[in-house]
């Protein structure tokens, strides 16, 4: 089609196709082992699949309620009470979304106005900044401090201004695998008290946490919970990233604003899956054992690459492991990630893409949500370098 000239002034002029799409396509093209985009390469439980099937056959194939199925919202409320001793009302404080990304976009859209500042920590998951910018908001970037990627709270205090509308946190953290501590939460509580700052807490890897660490949800801290949107993902918990199902929790006044946007963004999300997950969530072991399940994979991956030239700080959570390739090459991480895919047959994600200024620490992100066989094959290739 010929392009009609001069009509497009991009609202996101600097944004290209996401790195996940690019690297997965490159992995396919070169038949490389794909440890780039974060998704499990093993199946979800057959029982969950049968449940979806059952509800489809039973005729639950029309719109769900806008805010999500009541039975699912009730199951979530019960889970939050059990895990974090916090009570969210299924009626007014829980909404089912089309994945974590939609929940994040909706919360940002509902809150951020022209000129508002939003603090985000880098490396940052790539959907935060564009959502802020589309609302006319201004992302204010703070770097996490390597090698363990912790937050410097003094720096946070320094950058908070009258215009700060929101702080976005992410624990366990994608892409670094860092985990926020109780001390971090206390700091956040102190810094935001007596302000109107809203928190958006991306906790999609809540169960994927290792070495005896406990997930510190903002919901556990009443002074934080009262100003927070908390985002979760069924995709991460049930190995179903392609189903694009998640949810958001917030106090009623914030959730009212969230739903004002949600109803015109998607209106509602997949009905049979909501029925199936509501029933499947009764099996608590499935999520309670997820940390141990993935710790085994992290440990296996790390043990397998021990003999390689890559160095690392073991991830404390998430299903990503950063590897430092400084001993192998001085190339830019974006170039090295491409070469590693083409020449060595392993696809990863260069860490610099998660920085607005493309800060290159010579780190690549590898997803270990893979079968043992895939991890072994990938490690063999990485060790041969
Ligand atoms: N969350 C996944 C990751 O970090 C990818 C999501 C996506 O492809 N948009 O790799």
């Amino acid at each position: 089609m010929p392009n009609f000239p001069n009509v497009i002034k991009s609202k996101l002029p600097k944004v290209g196709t996401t790195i996940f799409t690019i690297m997965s396509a490159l992995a396919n093209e070169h038949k490389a082992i794909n440890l780039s985009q974060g998704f499990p390469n093993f199946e979800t439980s057959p029982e969950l699949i049968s449940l979806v099937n059952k509800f489809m056959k039973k005729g639950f194939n029309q719109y769900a309620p806008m805010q999500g199925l009541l039975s699912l919202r009730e199951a979530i409320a019960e889970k939050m009470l059990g895990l974090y001793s916090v009570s969210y009302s299924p009626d007014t404080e829980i909404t089912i979304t089309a994945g974590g990304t939609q929940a994040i976009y909706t919360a940002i859209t509902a809150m951020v106005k022209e000129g508002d500042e939003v603090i985000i920590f880098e490396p940052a998951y790539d959907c935060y900044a564009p959502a802020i910018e589309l609302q006319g908001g201004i992302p204010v970037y703070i770097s996490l401090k390597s090698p363990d990627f912790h937050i410097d709270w003094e720096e946070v205090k320094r950058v908070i201004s009258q215009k700060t509308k929101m702080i976005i946190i992410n624990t366990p953290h994608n892409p670094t695998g860092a985990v926020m501590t109780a001390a971090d939460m206390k700091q956040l509580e102190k810094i935001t008290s007596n302000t109107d700052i809203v928190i958006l807490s991306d906790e999609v890897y809540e169960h994927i946490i290792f070495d005896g660490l406990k997930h510190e949800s903002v919901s556990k801290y009443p002074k934080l919970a009262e100003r927070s949107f908390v985002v979760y993902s069924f995709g991460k918990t049930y190995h179903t990233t392609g189903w694009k199902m998640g949810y958001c929790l917030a106090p009623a006044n914030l959730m009212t604003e969230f739903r004002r946007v949600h109803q015109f963004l998607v209106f509602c999300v997949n009905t049979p899956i909501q029925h199936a997950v509501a029933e499947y969530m009764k099996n608590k072991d499935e999520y309670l054992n997820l940390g141990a399940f993935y710790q085994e994979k992290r440990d296996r991956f790390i043990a397998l690459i021990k003999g390689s030239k890559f160095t690392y700080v073991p991830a404390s959570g998430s299903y990503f492991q950063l590897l430092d390739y400084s001993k192998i090459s001085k190339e830019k991480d974006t170039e090295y990630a491409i070469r590693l895919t083409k020449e060595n047959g392993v696809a990863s994600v260069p860490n610099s893409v998660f920085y607005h200024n493309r800060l290159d620490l010579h780190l690549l992100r590898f997803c270990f949500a893979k079968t043992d066989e895939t991890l072994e094959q990938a490690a063999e290739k990485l060790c041969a370098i």
Side-chain angles (χ1 to χ4, degrees), residues 18-21 24 35-39 101 125-127 174-175 204-205 236 241 244 319-320 349 354 365 367:
T18 82
I19 190 69
F20 311 116
T21 304
S24 275
L35 305 191
S36 64
Q37 193 177 22
F39 63 89
T101 301
Y125 189 59
D126 69 343
C127 78
N174 179 7
V204 297
Y205 299 100
K236 311 296 184 288
T241 62
K244 292 302 297 175
Y319 46 49
F320 303 110
V349 171
F354 300 109
R365 190 198 77 171
C367 173

Side-chain angles (χ1 to χ4, degrees), residues 91-236:
D91 279 342
T92 56
E93 300 181 324
I94 302 175
T95 301
I96 313 302
T97 61
T101 301
Q102 188 238 308
I104 289 164
Y105 189 87
T106 306
I108 291 171
T109 303
M111 286 295 115
V112 176
K113 296 187 180 139
E114 181 90 36
D116 284 344
E117 293 181 356
V118 179
I119 295 177
I120 63 182
F121 298 97
E122 291 189 311
Y125 189 59
D126 69 343
C127 78
Y128 306 151
I132 296 162
E133 284 168 346
L134 282 171
Q135 308 317 317
I138 303 157
V140 174
Y141 300 99
I142 295 182
S143 284
L144 295 167
K145 303 293 170 259
S146 55
D148 62 348
F149 294 97
H150 66 273
I151 294 174
D152 176 349
W153 291 104
E154 289 306 313
E155 195 175 343
V156 181
K157 269 190 220 162
R158 281 199 299 276
V159 306
I160 285 180
S161 78
Q162 287 299 98
K163 290 191 184 155
T164 308
K165 177 76 202 174
M166 180 183 264
I167 299 178
I168 304 181
I169 58 169
N170 172 211
T171 182
H173 187 258
N174 179 7
T176 68
V179 159
M180 287 173 72
T181 62
D184 286 319
M185 292 300 160
K186 298 253 162 60
Q187 289 282 353
L188 183 60
E189 196 174 278
K190 216 160 115 189
I191 286 175
T192 51
S193 69
N194 302 318
T195 72
D196 295 332
I197 296 171
V198 171
I199 294 161
L200 171 55
S201 187
D202 175 353
E203 302 183 11
V204 297
Y205 299 100
E206 66 178 320
H207 302 299
I208 310 179
I209 187 157
F210 314 132
D211 306 322
L213 292 165
K214 265 192 11 229
H215 173 56
E216 294 297 337
S217 173
V218 285
S219 66
K220 281 183 12 183
Y221 297 82
K223 287 267 173 298
L224 291 176
E226 69 183 21
R227 61 174 78 237
S228 293
F229 292 95
V230 200
V231 172
Y232 294 108
S233 158
F234 292 123
K236 311 296 184 288

Side-chain angles (χ1 to χ4, degrees), residues 247-268:
Y247 52 102
C248 182
L249 312 172
N253 58 341
L254 294 182
M255 189 48 79
T256 301
E257 297 307 315
F258 183 98
R259 288 180 180 172
R260 282 184 167 149
V261 177
H262 175 83
Q263 65 186 341
F264 297 120
L265 197 54
V266 288
F267 180 63
C268 67

